């Protein structure tokens, strides 16, 4: 990527912003699921046709396993969001630098005339 390729930087910035929004959405959804009580989870599962034949103890075991998996997913998503935020910050700096370079080039071009 060239230092003054503002269009390329802006396109990449938009892509990273879309990715960050998707990550935030996933984080929000997983956080909501993690806060779900056992009774809420049983109700949701049975509404969907799952867990109908299971005892409350079996449901509790599955719920604990799901929560452990969700915690792991949340940690991974948070790490990815942190990386994406860092990349977005770097792109914004690159865009600002490219704009300064362009402005300096335009100013020096006017002075030569």
């Amino acid at each position: 990527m060239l230092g003054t390729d503002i269009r390329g930087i802006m396109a990449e910035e938009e892509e990273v912003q879309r990715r960050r929004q998707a990550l935030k959405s996933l984080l929000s959804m997983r956080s909501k699921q993690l806060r779900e009580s056992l009774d809420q989870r049983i109700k949701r599962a049975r509404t969907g046709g799952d867990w109908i034949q299971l005892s409350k103890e079996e449901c509790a075991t599955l719920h604990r396993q799901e929560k452990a998996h969700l915690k792991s997913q949340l940690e991974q998503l948070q790490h990815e969001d942190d990386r994406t935020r860092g990349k977005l910050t770097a792109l914004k700096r690159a865009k600002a630098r490219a704009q300064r370079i362009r402005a300096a080039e335009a100013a020096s071009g006017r002075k030569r005339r």
Side-chain angles (χ1 to χ4, degrees):
M1 170 171 49
L2 296 175
T4 57
D5 183 15
I6 294 175
R7 284 190 187 109
I9 293 169
M10 289 175 67
E12 190 173 355
E13 181 182 16
E14 287 174 19
E15 179 64 31
V16 171
Q17 284 176 333
R18 281 193 295 276
R19 179 170 175 70
R20 181 121 197 264
Q21 283 304 112
L23 284 167
K24 282 184 170 191
S25 178
L26 281 171
L27 278 165
S28 174
M29 186 172 61
R30 294 297 186 259
S31 294
K32 182 180 175 184
Q33 289 173 334
L34 196 57
R35 291 188 307 269
E36 188 175 50
S37 72
L38 175 59
D39 289 335
Q40 291 170 325
R41 179 61 181 108
I42 290 171
K43 183 178 179 180
R44 185 168 58 89
R46 290 188 175 158
T47 301
D50 297 330
W51 294 12
I52 293 173
Q53 302 295 323
L54 301 178
S55 68
K56 186 148 184 161
E57 293 78 24
E58 291 169 319
C59 291
T61 300
L62 287 174
H63 186 60
R64 278 192 300 276
Q65 290 171 355
E66 284 181 349
K67 281 195 168 215
H69 182 69
L70 285 169
K71 284 180 184 178
S72 173
Q73 282 185 333
L74 268 174
E75 289 172 6
Q76 290 172 351
L77 289 169
Q78 188 62 56
H79 176 72
E80 186 63 28
D81 185 49
D82 292 345
R83 275 188 57 239
T84 303
R85 185 172 2 114
K87 186 171 184 173
L88 188 57
T89 300
L91 285 167
K92 287 181 180 182
R93 286 183 186 140
K95 184 173 73 173
R97 184 180 66 242
Q99 288 170 335
R100 285 192 305 273
I101 291 169
R102 283 251 172 113
E105 288 172 351
S108 69
R110 285 189 292 242
K111 289 181 183 176
R112 290 183 197 165
R113 292 181 187 178

